[in-house]
């Protein structure tokens, strides 16, 4: 198995910075009551922050940031790094094994065996062809 880490462009994260647990929960519940789409961060270095959205587009993130500031929310824009981890399995079958299998099937089925053609799969889970 082969593992490949691929860095992806960072996302733009609109958040209200971490605060004491009671204050974060109270503000989060208040925002939910107002119908503001938000999520309380429950772990990691931004525990007790309130997420207001992750955006690929910086312009979209800034637009949401400005809207939240007009709602008197102490939101900031932060980078959210991300990576994509890909895994690939590579199988190799010896030609001797294939020949042995063909002979065994021919012996078992005799004249009722129609040999079509056996080809190895090309481009399946190889590091060179994996996106």
């Amino acid at each position: 198995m082969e593992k490949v880490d691929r860095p992806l462009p960072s996302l733009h994260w609109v958040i209200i910075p971490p605060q004491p647990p009671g204050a974060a929960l109270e503000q989060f519940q208040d925002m939910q009551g107002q119908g503001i789409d938000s999520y309380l961060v429950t772990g990691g270095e931004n525990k007790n922050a309130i997420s207001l959205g992750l955006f690929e587009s910086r312009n979209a993130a800034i637009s949401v940031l400005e809207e939240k500031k007009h709602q008197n929310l102490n939101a900031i824009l932060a980078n959210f790094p991300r990576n994509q981890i890909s895994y690939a399995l590579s199988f190799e079958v010896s030609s001797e094994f294939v020949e042995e299998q063909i002979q065994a099937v021919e012996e078992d089925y005799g004249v009722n065996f129609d040999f079509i053609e056996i080809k190895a799969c090309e481009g399946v889970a190889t590091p060179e062809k994996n996106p």
Side-chain angles (χ1 to χ4, degrees):
M1 179 166 31
E2 200 168 312
K3 177 183 170 185
V4 178
D5 290 328
R6 297 179 196 181
L8 296 172
S10 294
L11 293 174
H12 305 283
W13 195 12
V14 179
I15 65 170
I16 295 173
Q19 45 192 316
L25 183 59
E26 184 179 327
Q27 184 175 15
F28 171 70
Q29 289 172 337
D30 182 51
M31 292 169 64
Q32 291 284 299
Q34 294 177 40
I36 298 173
D37 193 15
S38 55
Y39 301 91
L40 183 62
V41 179
T42 58
E45 66 184 59
N46 288 303
K47 183 175 181 176
N48 295 318
I50 299 172
S51 176
L52 300 170
L54 287 167
F55 302 88
E56 288 184 5
S57 162
R58 182 172 172 78
N59 289 338
I62 289 172
S63 174
V64 169
L65 177 65
E66 290 172 357
E67 173 189 330
K68 299 308 176 192
K69 286 190 175 193
H70 286 297
Q71 294 173 338
N72 292 323
L73 297 174
N74 186 28
I76 62 168
L77 185 60
N79 282 332
F80 186 83
R82 61 185 178 143
N83 290 327
Q84 178 180 8
I85 300 174
S86 300
Y87 295 92
L89 298 176
S90 179
F91 299 97
E92 292 183 25
V93 178
S94 69
S95 59
E96 294 85 25
F97 175 76
V98 173
E99 290 298 322
E100 288 174 14
Q101 293 298 314
I102 292 172
Q103 288 174 359
V105 170
E106 285 177 335
E107 287 174 16
D108 287 345
Y109 293 99
V111 294
N112 294 326
F113 176 70
D114 290 327
F115 179 73
I116 299 173
E117 185 176 351
I118 297 176
K119 282 183 117 177
C121 295
E122 294 180 15
V124 177
T126 62
E128 296 80 26
K129 298 199 178 190
N130 211 11

